[in-house]
């Protein structure tokens, strides 16, 4: 439908929308302050232990005293988001804060990130539509980092002013749900009203996020033209840049830690990101990543927040604790750990442990008993705290019912080896990249989607068993054995996930398709460069770029680039260029007439290899024949033989000249897959469309998914649990296998689009050890005495 252009200038419309939005949201602050006051008064009247009652009363009195200051500060800071100069000032402020990052700023970042995630969970659809309309009016690909429409800007204002006026985090924890619900409800209404305001003025009344893919008669993506590879299914400019974040938990499999879910905050909120006083450069990188509020950045931000909380807990409650200094276990504790490991190994070898639900309960009980015994042998607070935290983490892991019971029993055997590492290397608590964490996360994410029947006796269970036993055999080697078996497990996964016969055949064909399509694009680019300085008719150029590049690529993949048949086809391209050039010489015309039948036969053979229908072949050959006839009558100069010879030499060794640049998206469909497989491919779906056009951040996220991770796939209105089992060498094609036996081959850009639209959602909200750490912290917050007792 044609959209009428707004009568009001675009920039003015955008400013009016922002002013109305800021005013509407600003009206909620007084109402929110009243609700906060009522909540704190009610809590102060509740009966509880003396410490809690005092905290609640202090929070109520503090808010009564500072309420006006906070409310006015929030109102003023929020109104200033409309002033362009403020963005510059905030950039300078964020830069300064990054160099002086402390615990207060880190906590503000974490609080704001959680608030942002809650807001996005409820408002993402309205916000996404508004984002597209504002980007249209502003003429940009993404809204500015400090745009008032971004939820992280409002979250940053509210959190900063809270701590800035002197209110503490104890009070925030008591009322954060009140603040969250007020902001979620008001922002949802304000986004809706802003969309209505713009629609009434003719700004994108309808938004269609489906890619508008141009297809040829055969149903394939539009072919390449003489100017290079087609962009295939790209959206029109006015709908690009859309970014939906419907999913309540996003992430999964990103980076080495294989994390999932989180909530992050943009640096646009004025709250700098990152954790800890050291690593300022990493902190700056994290902050820049969060400017676009990307899922992967939010994942890492939230996980780093958990690690930061753990480090602060240890620093605050354990005298002399230093995350940067190794503190080997005392002799008494080391001997106790060795004795327990020997007893545990004997129990397993004597078949005194069952690998089922009762076995998990037995393992949990043993963890409690070992923890008590080991803490009695500990000689200092650092050892006691480490023992307790590792025990709580493993209790959390064993309570994860999505992991089959037999695997959880094997995980329980890692408690002692992990404890050794945690005592000797405090880095285990300070980084997500420790190999012990990575190993547990990877094994946990891979088995998350299997039930007990599917995992028992499987190759995967046998590999997990082998990994645990190798670690047990080398207890003194610390992180080295964890790194070794982690690398081995990664290699095992690459084979195990594709071991089924059909899956192997699909991945083999898909890999060949990627190679062929990539080469076709590269050959097109290189031949265009060859012919740029030569006088070659457009009809011949089109045939070489659109048809013969495909022929050469298929031959190179099927037979090899230097195979005799491939070299013959390459030479045919040279012969065609020479034959179609001007022929003022009688001897040249005689040579063309003599060689023409052989040349046409080679062209037919090449097109037949592409399974091109004979009528289509005849159309191409007629155009070529007419062009050759014209060349006979042409009085222009012929192409110098030196150029022909140079082209022949370059074509013969074409692979030496091509690069990986600009390969773009690979055209691929279910019909070509079935044709190349030679079998019924009804259980395999090629996902070539769906979702909105992905942003660069989403494309980056799609490339960092971890093999073996599980997802919920919403395809054609059917929900399925699917495991990520394979990616091609160039990461252009990705294969998912569902629990009902179906497979989904998804192109890279479509994969990012599905992630962006919430059609592909990670099963795990966060990595296994991150969740275990978070739950351990929650227990220690509720019962801090247990850390050292």
């Amino acid at each position: 439908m044609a959209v009428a252009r707004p009568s009001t200038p675009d920039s003015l419309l955008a400013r009016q929308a922002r002013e109305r939005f800021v005013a509407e949201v600003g009206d909620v602050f007084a109402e929110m302050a009243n609700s906060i006051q009522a909540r704190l008064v009610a809590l102060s009247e509740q009966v509880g232990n003396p410490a809690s009652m005092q905290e609640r009363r202090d929070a109520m009195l503090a808010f009564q005293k500072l309420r006006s200051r906070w409310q006015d500060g929030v109102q003023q800071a929020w109104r200033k988001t409309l002033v362009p100069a403020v963005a510059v000032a905030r950039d300078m402020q964020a830069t300064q804060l990054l160099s002086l990052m402390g615990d207060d700023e880190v906590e503000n970042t974490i609080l704001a990130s959680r608030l942002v995630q809650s807001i996005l969970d409820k408002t993402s659809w309205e916000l996404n539509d508004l984002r597209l309309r504002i980007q249209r009016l502003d003429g940009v690909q993404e809204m500015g980092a400090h745009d008032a429409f971004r939820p992280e800007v409002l979250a940053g204002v509210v959190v900063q002013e809270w701590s800035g006026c002197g209110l503490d985090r104890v009070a925030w924890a008591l009322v954060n749900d009140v603040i969250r619900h007020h902001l979620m409800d008001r922002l949802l209404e304000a986004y809706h009203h802003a969309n209505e305001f713009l629609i009434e003025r003719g700004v994108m009344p309808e938004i269609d996020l489906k890619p508008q893919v141009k297809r040829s008669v055969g149903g394939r993506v539009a072919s390449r033209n003489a100017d290079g590879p087609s962009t295939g299914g790209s959206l029109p400019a006015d709908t690009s840049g859309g970014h939906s974040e419907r999913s309540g938990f996003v992430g999964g499999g990103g980076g080495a830690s294989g994390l999932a879910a989180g909530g992050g905050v943009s640096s646009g909120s004025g709250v700098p990101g990152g954790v800890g006083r050291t690593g300022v450069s990493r902190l700056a990188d994290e902050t820049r990543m969060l400017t676009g509020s990307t899922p992967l950045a939010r994942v890492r931000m939230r996980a780093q927040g958990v690690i930061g909380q753990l480090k602060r807990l240890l620093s605050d409650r354990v005298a002399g604790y230093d995350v940067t200094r190794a503190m080997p276990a005392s002799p008494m504790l080391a001997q106790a750990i060795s004795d327990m490991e020997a007893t545990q190994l004997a129990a397993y070898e004597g078949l005194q442990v069952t690998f089922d639900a009762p076995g998990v309960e037995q393992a949990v009980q043993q963890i409690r008993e070992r923890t008590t015994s080991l803490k009695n042998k500990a000689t200092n607070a650092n050892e006691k705290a480490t023992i307790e935290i590792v025990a709580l983490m493993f209790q959390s892991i064993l309570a994860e019912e999505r992991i089959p019971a037999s695997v959880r029993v094997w995980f329980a055997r890692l408690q002692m080896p992990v404890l050794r590492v945690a005592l000797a290397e405090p880095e285990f608590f300070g980084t997500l990249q420790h190999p012990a964490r990575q190993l547990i996360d990877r094994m946990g994410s891979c088995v998350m989607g299997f039930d007990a029947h599917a995992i028992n006796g499987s190759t995967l269970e046998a590999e997990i068993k082998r990994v645990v036993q190798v670690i047990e055999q080398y207890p003194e080697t610390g992180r080295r054995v964890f790194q070794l078996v982690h690398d081995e497990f990664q290699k095992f996964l690459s084979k195990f996930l594709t071991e089924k016969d059909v899956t192997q055949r699909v991945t083999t064909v898909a890999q060949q398709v990627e190679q062929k399509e990539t080469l076709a694009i590269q050959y097109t680019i290189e031949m265009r460069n060859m012919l740029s300085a030569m006088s070659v008719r457009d009809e011949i150029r089109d045939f070489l770029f659109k048809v013969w590049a495909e022929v050469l690529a298929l031959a190179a993949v099927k037979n090899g680039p230097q195979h005799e048949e491939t070299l013959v086809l390459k030479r045919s391209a040279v012969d065609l260029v020479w034959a179609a050039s001007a022929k003022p010489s009688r001897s040249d015309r005689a040579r063309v007439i003599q060689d023409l039948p052989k040349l046409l036969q080679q062209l037919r053979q090449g097109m037949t290899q592409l399974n091109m229908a004979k009528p289509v072949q005849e159309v191409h050959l007629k155009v070529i024949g007419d062009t050759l006839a014209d060349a006979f009558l042409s009085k222009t100069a012929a192409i110098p033989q030196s150029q022909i010879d140079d082209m022949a030499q370059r074509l013969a060794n074409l692979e030496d000249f091509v690069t990986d640049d600009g390969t773009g998206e690979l055209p691929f469909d279910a019909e070509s897959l079935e044709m190349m497989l030679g079998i019924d491919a009804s259980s395999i779906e090629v996902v070539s469309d769906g979702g909105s056009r992905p942003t660069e951040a989403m494309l980056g996220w799609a490339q960092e998914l971890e093999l073996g991770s599980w997802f919920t796939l919403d395809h054609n209105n059917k929900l399925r649990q699917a495991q990520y089992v394979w990616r091609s060498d160039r990461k252009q094609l990705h294969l998912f296998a569902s629990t009902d036996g179906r497979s989904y081959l998804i192109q890279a850009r479509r994969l990012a689009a599905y992630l962006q639209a919430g059609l592909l959602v990670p099963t795990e909200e966060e990595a296994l050890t991150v969740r275990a750490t978070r739950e351990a912290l929650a227990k220690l917050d509720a019962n801090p005495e247990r850390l050292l007792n």
Side-chain angles (χ1 to χ4, degrees), residues 86-276:
V86 171
V88 178
R90 285 193 174 186
D91 278 339
M92 296 175 61
Q93 179 187 27
T95 302
Q96 294 168 356
L97 285 173
L98 281 172
S99 63
L100 300 172
M101 176 60 63
D103 291 345
D104 289 342
E105 288 78 16
V106 171
E107 285 292 341
N108 281 349
T109 300
I110 295 171
L111 295 178
S113 71
R114 292 171 179 168
L115 191 56
V116 168
Q117 184 59 42
S118 298
I119 292 170
L120 288 174
D121 288 345
K122 188 166 185 177
T123 67
S124 60
W125 289 113
E126 287 286 355
L127 174 58
N128 186 55
D129 289 351
L130 180 60
R131 187 196 310 267
L132 295 176
R133 294 187 172 101
I134 292 299
Q135 287 169 185
R136 160 74 77 83
L137 293 176
D138 289 344
V140 296
Q141 289 296 316
E142 289 287 345
M143 291 194 299
H146 305 285
D147 198 308
F149 287 125
R150 285 187 174 272
E152 53 264 40
V153 174
L154 176 59
V157 165
V158 172
V159 172
Q160 276 191 309
E161 294 301 325
W162 183 274
S163 60
C165 75
L167 292 167
D168 62 19
R169 294 182 188 86
V170 175
W172 177 274
L174 296 174
V175 300
N176 77 86
D177 59 325
V178 175
I179 295 173
R180 183 172 68 250
H181 285 102
H182 274 280
L183 294 185
M184 285 193 305
D185 293 341
R186 181 55 58 94
L187 282 175
L188 181 60
E189 294 178 0
Y191 286 142
H192 180 70
H193 293 157
N195 276 315
E196 284 187 337
F197 171 80
L198 295 177
I199 291 173
E200 290 171 356
R201 285 151 183 80
V203 182
M204 298 177 68
E206 295 182 4
I207 295 178
D208 182 11
L209 296 179
K210 292 183 178 179
Q212 300 175 5
V213 182
K214 295 181 180 180
R215 296 185 177 275
S216 63
V217 177
R220 289 191 49 144
V221 177
S223 60
R224 307 167 189 80
N225 54 34
D227 294 326
S230 165
T231 55
S234 61
L235 283 170
D238 62 348
T239 60
S240 66
H243 178 180
S244 167
E245 295 171 326
R246 182 184 70 181
S247 166
F249 52 89
V250 288
S257 57
L259 301 178
V265 59
S266 161
S267 60
S269 67
V271 183
V275 175

Side-chain angles (χ1 to χ4, degrees), residues 559-632:
N559 303 318
Q562 293 300 312
H563 190 274
E564 181 179 355
E565 292 184 16
T566 307
L567 292 176
V568 169
L569 295 173
K570 289 179 177 180
R571 183 66 204 184
S572 298
V574 180
D575 293 342
L576 177 60
V577 170
W578 179 82
S581 63
K583 294 292 177 291
S585 167
R586 177 178 297 179
S587 59
D588 287 344
R589 291 196 294 270
R591 177 183 164 189
V592 170
I593 294 173
Q594 180 181 351
D595 294 343
L596 184 58
K598 181 180 179 181
L599 175 61
L600 293 178
Q601 181 184 8
Q602 291 171 345
L603 296 180
R604 287 183 188 276
Q605 290 175 348
M607 290 186 286
T608 300
Q609 290 182 16
L610 292 179
N611 289 310
M612 183 178 292
K614 289 190 179 297
V616 178
Q617 293 185 29
E618 293 302 325
V619 171
H620 286 300
L621 293 175
K622 184 178 186 306
V623 171
I624 291 172
D626 293 344
T627 304
L628 296 181
D630 290 342
F632 268 72

Side-chain angles (χ1 to χ4, degrees), residues 356-372:
D356 51 17
V360 172
E361 295 177 3
Q362 181 183 0
V364 171
Q365 181 60 34
Q366 289 174 346
I367 286 177
R368 294 194 180 100
E369 294 172 355
R370 286 195 292 261
T371 300
T372 301

